[in-house]
Structure formats: C-alpha cells, structure tokens
Amino acid sequence: MDRIALAYLDIKQAIPSNVTLVAVSKFHPASSILSLYNAGCRDFGESRVQELLEKKKELPSDIRWHFIGHLQTNKVKELVPFVHLIHSVDSVRLLSEINKEAVKQQIVVDCLLQVHIAKEETKFGFSPVELETQASQFVSKFPNVKIRGVMAMASNTDDEKVINSEFASVNSVFRSLKTLPNITSGFDILSSGMSGDYKFAIANGSSMVRIGSLLFGERN
Ligand SMILES: *Cc1c(COP(=O)(O)O)cnc(C)c1O
C-alpha cells in the first residue's frame, strides 16, 4: 500500500464514522487522487474550476466532487451539472447565479453557506447575523439551490482556545439556522476542520472535514 493510502486509513480511524472525509486534492495530480480512490475514498475537494475539470476527465466517474474555493460567477455554469456539493457559497450574487444556472439546466444544486468566523479580514463568507436574518429568504428566493448546511474555516493560529471558540461559534450558528422557518430536514451538514484543526472541529459538531496536506503531503 502506498503512503497516501496509509494516511487515508489512519485518518478514517481517527474520525467518527458519521463524519464525512473530503480529501482536498488541489495542486495534486490525478495519479495521487487515484491512489486514494483505490483505497476507498470517493469524496474529493478542489478549489479551482479549471483544475477540477481537467482532473475529472482522467478519473472515475463515481467520484463525488466537492467545490471548496472562492467561486467566480462566470464558472458556475460548468460546475453545476455534476458537482456534488458547493461548500463555499459566500454571497447573494453567487447564490443567485447558481440558482439561475440550475433552473436553466433543470437541476437542484446542493450548497453550503460559508460563514465568516475567523478574525482575518481576507476570509470570504457571510457573517452569522447576515445568515440568521437572510437564510430563510434564500430558501424561498432560490428554489433550485438546496441549502444543506454551513461551511467555515477557523483562524490560522496555534492557539487552541481561539480555534475551539471559533468552531463552537460556527456550531451555534449552524444549530440556530436549523430552527429557522423554511430550513428543512435536509439542513444537516457542518463542514469545518482541515488538516491542522479537524479534531477541534469534530469536538464542536463538524459532520464533514476537508483534509488536504495530511493525506497528500504539503502542496507546492
Ligand atoms: C486547502 C483547503 C483545505 C485543506 O487544507 P489542509 O490544511 O491541506 O488540510 C480545506 N478547506 C479549504 C477551504 C481549503 O481551501
């Protein structure tokens, strides 16, 4: 068994069976993805549409492709027909574009609303207050987008207290959105946690972790 497959089995053992592991394969070649596929992984995450499309051509068709990067509206059309879940819906404009394309293509697209929790100014996403006041409207306004939950990133810090409190905030946003009118039973995904912090995320209710470097090694 190769190194990537072994890392996969290690992580699978470290996370509860009800937490989905998305292998973040950005910047890694299709051959590495295939190693993981052969070890049993079917969920892969990419952050650029062009890169995803190129890899998809070379790889088995039963892979569930997750989109986790900032998505430009002009790329939505190519992604929508096959994407399994868009984690990174970070604006009303993007929601509207995804809905428009989904209506055109007569499909429903599963999406997560990205919530901005970390202190860093550069992170994309809605604020907790924006979500609490607008999420119900999103559901009625954009019927071909199925909002399945929320996605978040914690601050890039070694301070475990900060990480824990950010993931706890995300979890509380998730649970409060769940009780809003219009949010249906399909609202059940909390995508939080990466290589460095997934244990804290899981301790704070994560149901989907996005792991790259722990599986594939460092990116160039
Ligand atoms: C790159 C990336 C990850 C994976 O990061 P690692 O630290 O390599 O596990 C997870 N989520 C998002 C949104 C990313 O862009």
Side-chain angles (χ1 to χ4, degrees):
M1 206 179 282
D2 63 19
R3 198 195 54 75
I4 293 174
L6 285 171
Y8 174 67
L9 297 181
D10 270 356
I11 295 169
K12 284 295 274 185
Q13 273 189 342
I15 66 177
S17 59
N18 59 340
V19 173
T20 303
L21 169 60
V22 177
V24 176
S25 48
K26 62 187 185 198
F27 307 133
H28 293 286
S31 57
S32 300
I33 298 178
L34 198 56
S35 290
L36 216 46
Y37 178 92
N38 289 332
C41 187
R42 292 294 178 272
D43 292 277
F44 291 91
E46 289 282 341
S47 58
R48 293 187 197 164
V49 173
Q50 205 49 44
E51 185 180 342
L52 197 174
L53 292 172
E54 276 160 29
K55 290 175 183 172
K56 183 178 180 290
K57 274 191 282 190
E58 299 175 41
L59 287 160
S61 61
D62 62 340
I63 286 180
R64 294 184 287 266
W65 292 104
H66 296 246
F67 194 80
I68 63 169
H70 178 62
L71 179 56
Q72 288 167 319
T73 50
N74 62 349
K75 301 281 160 110
V76 166
K77 181 166 58 181
E78 297 168 278
L79 195 61
V80 151
F82 68 87
V83 72
H84 180 67
L85 180 65
I86 302 175
H87 293 228
S88 43
V89 177
D90 56 9
S91 69
V92 178
R93 186 164 163 256
L94 180 57
L95 259 177
S96 166
E97 185 65 23
I98 296 170
N99 188 66
K100 191 180 101 195
E101 276 305 325
V103 168
K104 245 193 237 168
Q105 302 185 26
Q106 298 184 295
I107 51 176
V108 172
V109 182
D110 279 9
C111 289
L112 304 179
L113 300 171
Q114 183 168 350
V115 55
H116 174 107
I117 289 286
K119 303 283 176 296
E120 287 126 75
E121 290 295 325
T122 54
K123 294 268 160 78
F124 293 103
F126 296 96
S127 71
V129 172
E130 281 175 317
L131 288 187
E132 274 156 28
T133 53
Q134 297 178 50
S136 288
Q137 290 155 255
F138 293 164
V139 175
S140 44
K141 259 192 182 155
F142 306 119
N144 287 51
V145 173
K146 171 111 181 105
I147 298 175
R148 297 291 312 275
V150 303
M151 183 273 243
M153 275 181 273
S155 293
N156 184 12
T157 168
D158 292 331
D159 189 336
E160 298 186 356
K161 268 207 198 118
V162 171
I163 297 172
N164 252 319
S165 88
E166 289 179 353
F167 283 139
S169 307
V170 171
N171 193 15
S172 98
V173 172
F174 174 65
R175 282 180 301 152
S176 103
L177 293 186
K178 232 179 158 138
T179 65
L180 292 177
N182 262 353
I183 302 282
T184 56
S185 56
F187 189 90
D188 54 9
I189 301 175
L190 174 53
S191 168
S192 61
M194 330 202 307
S195 291
D197 57 19
Y198 74 94
K199 288 182 180 155
F200 301 107
I202 291 171
N204 288 288
S206 172
S207 65
M208 191 173 269
V209 291
R210 309 176 308 271
I211 295 189
S213 41
L214 264 189
L215 286 165
F216 295 105
E218 291 302 320
R219 291 178 287 273
N220 294 321

